[in-house]
Amino acid sequence: MDFAVGEVSTLLLNRSNGMSNRDASDDTAASGRATPPLRPPSDRVPCNKTGVCSRSYFVVVMVFFHVYIINVIALLFYVHYINGQEDANQGLDAPSRNHPHAESRPPPSKSAPLRDVSLTRIEGIRVGHVQKVSLVPSKVHEMRTLSLKPLLFEIPGFLSEDECRVVMQLAQLKGLMESQLMVQDGQEELAKELNLSPEEIFNLLDINQDGQLQLHEILTHSRVRDGIWLTPENLREIYAGLKADKDGNDLLSLDEFKLLSNDAFQRFLLQRGVKRSQLVRNSRHTWLYQGKGAHRVLRDIKARVTRLTRLPPALVDLSEPLQVVRYEEGGHYHGHHDSGPVYPETACTHTRSAANTSTPFETSCRYITVLFYLNSVEGGGETAFPVADNRTYDEVSLIQNNVDLLDTRRNCDKSNLKVKPTKGTAVFWYNYLSDGKGWVGEQDEYALHGGCVVTRGTKWVANKWINIDPDYQRQARYQQLVSQQPEDEDDEGFPLNPDQRSSDTHQEL
Ligand code: OGA
Ligand code: CA
Ligand code: FE2
């Protein structure tokens, strides 16, 4: 910014210098002629009063010039003021590394306005824009904007080769578990839970209200059945197995739909058997804690993420641990959001303990995803953003002509954006928009993404999610609660391992 200010003032100086030089040389030229007799001042300018040398013309030019200067000065003040605010925000709620709790946010008083923290949101400027970022003392990283919807960046060399190796080794030492278990039996029927009649469900699914259900109308709302990803072919197979679509035209009438009860659906899937490749997600993962006592590399990564995202360190400290994921050849992760939409009745997993309401809905509120590629994949395994920078978002058009854009085993080539996994590169994006007042707003529907099928070799990635509750009060209450915990018990703010909600004991590595 200093550079920009300098540039503007130099520009101004040159302009004014240019003008006076021109005036001066004009004078010299005039004085070079034979000395003219002195004339009354009014006669000194030998040109037309309405021409460019007239006094009124001079006044207009000077007024214009002054307004211009005043505008530039005002602009400089504005830029200075905005920068000052950002710096102040970064300082807010930022505990030092040695005393993570000492400086946590003071308890919010009920009457005072609570927006004492404003979240910095990095500007994307335009796709392809590169900004330099200082994350470690010895190196300047380049951060490239990959898309504006969602706001998505790529930073090559974010992790060193050694760091990638250490993270993979620590994960192996800890042990990875299946990311998705095979079909669970005995799940409550959704329809029963929702208390809807088949007619009502039919009506809800019939998006174009033509009295028939097209394949995509069923898939849009039930791509996933008991954790199994359904393709148009699967659906046809199910219709055939249950003899639901008697005329075989891919359309279900209400009567045909009634044959497709949830029970029958589930029984069919169980009988047929399910392969890993038919799950929503085919990978293994583990969680690595990054708090006190964690491996230096893990703590360094957390500190670097804090610098990168320019968020208050307390927020990063209190987020989920690092998730390390391994995909074997043939592994994939179909299109999904890392975070759910937030309605007033939805609670965030991380602040749930502090929320004094009980609510049936819970979602992980992950404001930012930082995804690290720990190896370069030999074949496939790209991260796909099917609707990145689409001009419009339309959930229904995600399936068109039997092509499901969220199916990362088949349709990654039709994604708007794909990121190739390169060892050490980090990508990060915002899963929520801003609320316009410095806090978390609506979920960003364009943040849909998935992991394309790995066609050769294995793929290792890590996720650092930064959890922020879109409800500011709940986030503040949560931070207050954590800050009151005795320090020795609290080596990591995030209360529960996302996979072990019933127990918060964990083994440090
Ligand atoms: C995830 C994810 C993408 C990838 O783990 O949530 O979206 O490329 N991963 O593996
Ligand atoms: Ca229809
Ligand atoms: Fe994801």
Side-chain angles (χ1 to χ4, degrees), residues 182-186 226 228 263-274:
M182 299 296 264
V183 187
Q184 301 124 28
D185 223 341
D226 300 329
I228 301 168
D263 276 346
F265 220 99
Q266 195 162 342
R267 253 183 288 117
F268 177 85
L269 287 173
L270 285 171
Q271 272 169 16
R272 184 168 136 280
V274 182

Side-chain angles (χ1 to χ4, degrees), residues 441-480:
E442 302 264 295
Q443 185 192 31
D444 188 347
E445 300 187 296
Y446 293 85
L448 267 177
H449 64 281
C452 305
V453 65
V454 177
T455 53
R456 193 136 42 95
T458 54
K459 169 184 170 189
W460 283 90
V461 296
N463 285 301
K464 182 68 190 167
W465 284 300
I466 298 175
N467 307 97
I468 307 182
D469 196 322
D471 181 329
Y472 183 96
Q473 309 266 355
R474 278 201 312 228
Q475 180 70 32
R477 222 178 296 131
Y478 164 63
Q479 289 190 216
Q480 187 197 346

Side-chain angles (χ1 to χ4, degrees), residues 281 327 333 336 338 371 383 449 451 459 461 463 465:
R281 180 178 190 188
Y327 300 85
Y333 192 171
H336 63 278
D338 284 349
L371 176 70
T383 307
H449 64 281
K459 169 184 170 189
V461 296
N463 285 301
W465 284 300

Side-chain angles (χ1 to χ4, degrees), residues 32-89:
R33 291 186 216 115
T35 321
L38 277 175
R39 279 176 289 183
S42 58
D43 289 338
R44 212 182 289 156
V45 183
C47 57
N48 193 333
K49 281 206 169 174
T50 57
V52 289
C53 315
S54 75
R55 185 167 298 169
S56 50
Y57 181 81
F58 178 75
V59 168
V60 168
V61 168
M62 285 317 285
V63 167
F64 176 79
F65 187 61
H66 278 87
V67 169
Y68 175 76
I69 289 176
I70 288 166
N71 273 336
V72 170
I73 290 171
L75 184 71
L76 292 180
F77 269 115
Y78 177 72
V79 168
H80 183 75
Y81 172 74
I82 289 287
N83 276 354
Q85 266 205 334
E86 242 176 48
D87 291 346
N89 289 340

Side-chain angles (χ1 to χ4, degrees), residues 368-416:
I368 289 182
T369 299
V370 187
L371 176 70
F372 309 95
Y373 297 108
L374 302 176
N375 74 334
S376 300
V377 181
E378 277 179 74
E382 301 89 344
T383 307
F385 294 82
V387 292
D389 280 337
N390 243 29
R391 272 202 271 156
T392 58
Y393 175 84
D394 178 3
E395 194 191 344
V396 176
S397 68
L398 288 171
I399 306 179
Q400 262 178 3
N401 306 324
N402 287 345
V403 173
D404 182 352
L405 285 178
L406 296 191
D407 188 328
T408 54
R409 295 191 73 83
R410 300 176 164 192
N411 300 322
C412 268
D413 56 330
K414 297 174 193 73
S415 260
N416 281 357

Side-chain angles (χ1 to χ4, degrees), residues 91-111:
L92 269 176
D93 206 33
S96 76
R97 264 172 221 154
N98 297 333
H99 305 283
H101 305 303
E103 289 145 86
S104 283
R105 184 205 311 281
S109 86
K110 280 212 172 104
S111 52

Side-chain angles (χ1 to χ4, degrees), residues 174-245:
K174 186 153 186 178
L176 295 102
M177 61 201 149
E178 292 295 344
S179 299
Q180 193 190 330
L181 299 172
M182 299 296 264
V183 187
Q184 301 124 28
D185 223 341
Q187 277 190 344
E188 269 295 298
E189 255 186 49
L190 188 65
K192 264 190 212 148
E193 231 172 85
L194 292 175
N195 210 7
L196 294 174
S197 68
E199 285 82 3
E200 284 171 312
I201 300 178
F202 186 92
N203 235 325
L204 288 172
L205 295 178
D206 186 11
I207 299 163
N208 63 358
Q209 292 286 297
D210 65 350
Q212 296 187 305
L213 291 186
Q214 283 78 10
L215 288 175
H216 74 86
E217 287 176 330
I218 298 218
L219 286 176
T220 298
H221 291 281
S222 41
R223 261 192 197 87
V224 181
R225 200 54 169 232
D226 300 329
I228 301 168
W229 188 266
L230 296 178
T231 63
E233 289 76 38
N234 292 155
L235 215 49
R236 284 199 196 99
E237 202 189 325
I238 292 170
Y239 290 179
L242 299 175
K243 300 195 175 49
D245 179 20

